Amino acid sequence: MIEACFVLFLICLVLYAFYVLTKKTCFALNLSAGSVWSLLLYREFVVIFLPILLLIFYGSEPFTDYIFNIKDDKIFSISLIVIYAIFVFSLTIFVLSKYLPVLISKEDKAKSIDDPRVKKFANASLACGFAILLFSYIFLSYEHAFLRALLSGDGLIKIRLANSYASKLPSQVSYFIVFASQIAAIFSSIHLINKKYFRFLMYFSCALFLASARGDKAPVLMCIILAILSYFYIKGLVVSLGKILFGVFFSLLLLYFSIYFVASLQIPNLSIDVFNVYLLGRLGVGQMGGVFETFSISKIKGDYFWHTIPFAQFFV
């Protein structure tokens, strides 16, 4: 328990240090000024620190279906390594922020959304994303995973694996489809600000269509997050604490049922109870499972470690 409380104290200390170090920088969290992009960093902190807290308080036994080869006697030391890494990351962000632009005024943001170059870039990205997806479908045996799962009733995992191993589309190229969806999601918020609701729905629908092509949940959720953050980045967010808490609660509720719908495509006859366990394991401990497993594994003989170094296969 002492180790768990110590880890919790260090996590709170690191989060506070990050908040203080990023004040008056482009990484600052200031909702009223529209400085909201740091919420993406805080989201990553939740994804990183939540598994640490679950493992340090409950051990690995309740999560054996989602994390393997982990040794309980190493959880504390691995947690310290992760916390130290995040602290170094915070210091790096602090140093870099000194050489990056400061916060942009709302007036300048409002002017930038009418820049024709923004529209050209968004349309070009969207066109390239659709072109790659269509070419891959016709010539490279790549299918839109979500669409195929909904129309045919096939398991989403089966289609995702087929896209990964049976299609001829390089994984690096497929990520450009995701990139195009994110650009479209950000651009859609501009139309929402300008009260062009049809164009907003058109671009946002295109973003979700491209984001769901791989069959992953994360790109779809990221499109929703980027659209919301882009809107508040320009408009600012001046609301009471009660409205913020209500918005967070409503967003988490919407996110919960969205993930349940996506997971039900992968797991037939998925019940709420099973889904809750899945959510805690997959989105909780599972997100950091690789880190704990890697540090728990004894030294591997041979040249296995070369696979972590890009292009090493050309030299060994």
Side-chain angles (χ1 to χ4, degrees), residues 290-306:
V291 175
F292 284 92
E293 290 170 0
T294 300
F295 282 104
S296 294
I297 295 175
S298 302
K299 184 178 179 181
I300 300 176
K301 297 181 180 180
D303 297 331
Y304 175 80
F305 68 93
W306 284 109

Side-chain angles (χ1 to χ4, degrees), residues 137-157:
Y137 174 75
I138 297 175
F139 299 105
L140 303 179
S141 303
Y142 188 88
E143 298 191 81
H144 191 289
F146 267 103
L147 191 60
R148 172 65 186 278
L150 290 173
L151 295 178
S152 66
D154 293 340
L156 187 58
I157 293 180

Side-chain angles (χ1 to χ4, degrees), residues 9-275:
F9 169 75
L10 289 180
I11 290 176
C12 294
L13 189 63
V14 168
L15 290 176
Y16 178 74
F18 180 83
Y19 176 78
V20 172
L21 291 175
T22 55
K23 270 189 173 182
K24 297 182 180 180
T25 71
C26 58
F27 297 101
L29 180 60
N30 188 339
L31 300 181
S32 61
S35 180
V36 296
W37 291 112
S38 60
L39 287 174
L40 294 176
L41 286 174
Y42 285 103
R43 185 204 63 164
E44 295 300 322
F45 292 156
V46 172
V47 172
I48 292 171
F49 290 140
L50 178 60
I52 290 178
L53 293 176
L54 289 174
L55 288 172
I56 200 72
F57 277 100
Y58 298 105
S60 61
E61 185 177 353
F63 311 105
T64 52
D65 291 336
Y66 304 97
I67 188 169
F68 310 99
N69 300 320
I70 182 174
K71 299 177 180 178
D72 285 347
D73 59 343
K74 290 189 175 183
I75 290 178
F76 177 69
S77 59
I78 297 173
S79 300
L80 294 181
I81 293 174
V82 174
I83 295 172
Y84 171 75
I86 296 300
F87 178 70
V88 173
F89 170 79
S90 301
L91 291 179
T92 304
I93 289 293
F94 171 71
V95 174
L96 290 177
S97 65
K98 299 300 180 181
Y99 302 95
L100 294 174
V102 293
L103 297 176
I104 303 174
S105 66
K106 291 183 180 179
E107 292 75 15
D108 292 334
K109 294 175 186 177
K111 293 178 182 178
S112 66
I113 65 176
D114 295 323
D115 192 330
R117 294 174 298 179
V118 175
K119 181 178 180 180
K120 290 180 181 179
F121 176 71
N123 288 337
S125 300
L126 197 58
C128 289
F130 273 105
I132 293 174
L133 182 60
L134 181 60
F135 181 86
S136 303
Y137 174 75
I138 297 175
F139 299 105
L140 303 179
S141 303
Y142 188 88
E143 298 191 81
H144 191 289
F146 267 103
L147 191 60
R148 172 65 186 278
L150 290 173
L151 295 178
S152 66
D154 293 340
L156 187 58
I157 293 180
K158 176 183 176 181
I159 302 172
R160 288 175 57 186
L161 291 175
N163 282 340
S164 299
Y165 300 105
S167 73
K168 298 178 182 178
L169 178 65
S171 59
Q172 295 85 349
V173 178
S174 68
Y175 280 109
F176 190 86
I177 300 175
V178 177
F179 172 75
S181 72
Q182 295 174 351
I183 296 298
I186 294 172
F187 188 62
S188 69
S189 64
I190 294 179
H191 291 296
L192 185 60
I193 292 171
N194 292 331
K195 298 182 179 180
K196 298 178 180 179
Y197 301 116
F198 177 76
R199 292 188 179 183
F200 161 73
L201 290 174
M202 182 181 67
Y203 278 96
F204 190 65
S205 298
C206 290
L208 293 180
F209 183 82
L210 291 177
S212 59
R214 290 168 53 89
D216 299 335
K217 297 179 286 293
V220 176
L221 297 177
M222 181 56 71
C223 279
I224 299 174
I225 293 173
L226 289 177
I228 295 173
L229 292 184
S230 300
Y231 179 85
F232 289 122
Y233 173 72
I234 299 173
K235 295 286 288 185
L237 182 61
V238 184
V239 293
S240 63
L241 179 61
K243 290 184 177 180
I244 292 177
L245 294 177
F246 175 78
V248 170
F249 172 78
F250 179 78
S251 300
L252 291 177
L253 192 64
L254 179 62
L255 182 63
Y256 175 85
F257 286 106
S258 298
I259 297 176
Y260 175 76
F261 171 73
V262 175
S264 65
L265 295 176
Q266 304 181 55
I267 306 174
N269 303 320
L270 180 65
S271 65
I272 292 294
D273 293 336
V274 174
F275 173 69

